[in-house]
Amino acid sequence: MFVRPQNSSQVKMEVIRSDTTMTANVNLWIQKQHIVGNASIENLDFKLIESRIEDVDQAVFNDLGLFGAEFLEKLLTEILQMGLIMPTMKGVVLKSPKLTIHDRYLRVQTYFKLDERYAERLIQGAVRQTLANVG
């Protein structure tokens, strides 16, 4: 953690150094065109490595872990309930999508079909425009 300088002549200063470990369960599923879910944080531990602030010790950091876990759990669940929009193409319908979680990314594997009415309108418009340009 650093203290931000008040002006450009000052330099930022490290005041606390810590190690953080979090154990969480995240459940994700696909709902229409969104990836939604919820999260629960089992524990959030802060290990104080160095502090340049008086009265900040490991006991204070233990309390921070308890409060931080509750806050982060609510925040993550709120974000996941809003959902992450999956990018799709207009006229393409996903069939039986499967979601897998990997290191630093989500993978959606799916079959898809072309919306026949959309494709029909698209082709009719293209034919009309071609005939208008030719004639």
Side-chain angles (χ1 to χ4, degrees), residues 56-98:
V56 173
D57 57 13
Q58 187 59 50
V60 171
F61 263 56
N62 291 341
D63 292 341
L64 181 63
L66 294 172
F67 294 119
E70 185 178 335
F71 171 76
L72 280 176
E73 184 174 305
K74 287 180 182 178
L75 180 65
L76 284 173
T77 297
E78 186 177 308
I79 290 168
L80 291 172
Q81 286 176 349
M82 286 188 287
L84 307 166
I85 298 173
M86 288 191 301
T88 57
M89 294 174 55
K90 193 171 186 178
V92 174
V93 180
L94 303 181
K95 302 295 287 180
S96 304
K98 303 282 187 261

Side-chain angles (χ1 to χ4, degrees), residues 13 53 65 74 78 97 109 116:
M13 185 173 93
I53 302 175
K74 287 180 182 178
E78 186 177 308
Q109 187 173 357
E116 292 175 21

Side-chain angles (χ1 to χ4, degrees), residues 2-66:
F2 291 87
V3 173
R4 188 185 319 229
Q6 291 181 355
N7 59 48
S8 60
S9 67
Q10 296 175 328
V11 64
K12 68 181 179 180
M13 185 173 93
E14 182 181 53
V15 291
I16 293 177
R17 199 160 48 102
S18 70
D19 196 19
T20 306
T21 305
M22 181 173 75
T23 305
N25 294 310
V26 178
N27 299 305
L28 300 173
W29 59 91
I30 297 173
Q31 188 174 23
K32 296 184 182 177
Q33 301 299 322
H34 290 79
I35 298 171
V36 296
N38 57 41
S40 63
I41 296 180
E42 291 182 13
N43 72 7
L44 178 62
D45 292 323
F46 293 99
K47 180 182 174 193
L48 185 63
I49 296 172
E50 181 182 356
S51 174
R52 293 184 179 152
I53 302 175
E54 215 173 293
D55 297 330
V56 173
D57 57 13
Q58 187 59 50
V60 171
F61 263 56
N62 291 341
D63 292 341
L64 181 63
L66 294 172

Side-chain angles (χ1 to χ4, degrees), residues 114-128:
L114 189 59
D115 181 342
E116 292 175 21
R117 286 177 283 186
Y118 176 77
E120 181 182 345
R121 288 191 306 268
L122 188 66
I123 292 169
Q124 285 175 350
V127 168
R128 267 191 230 109

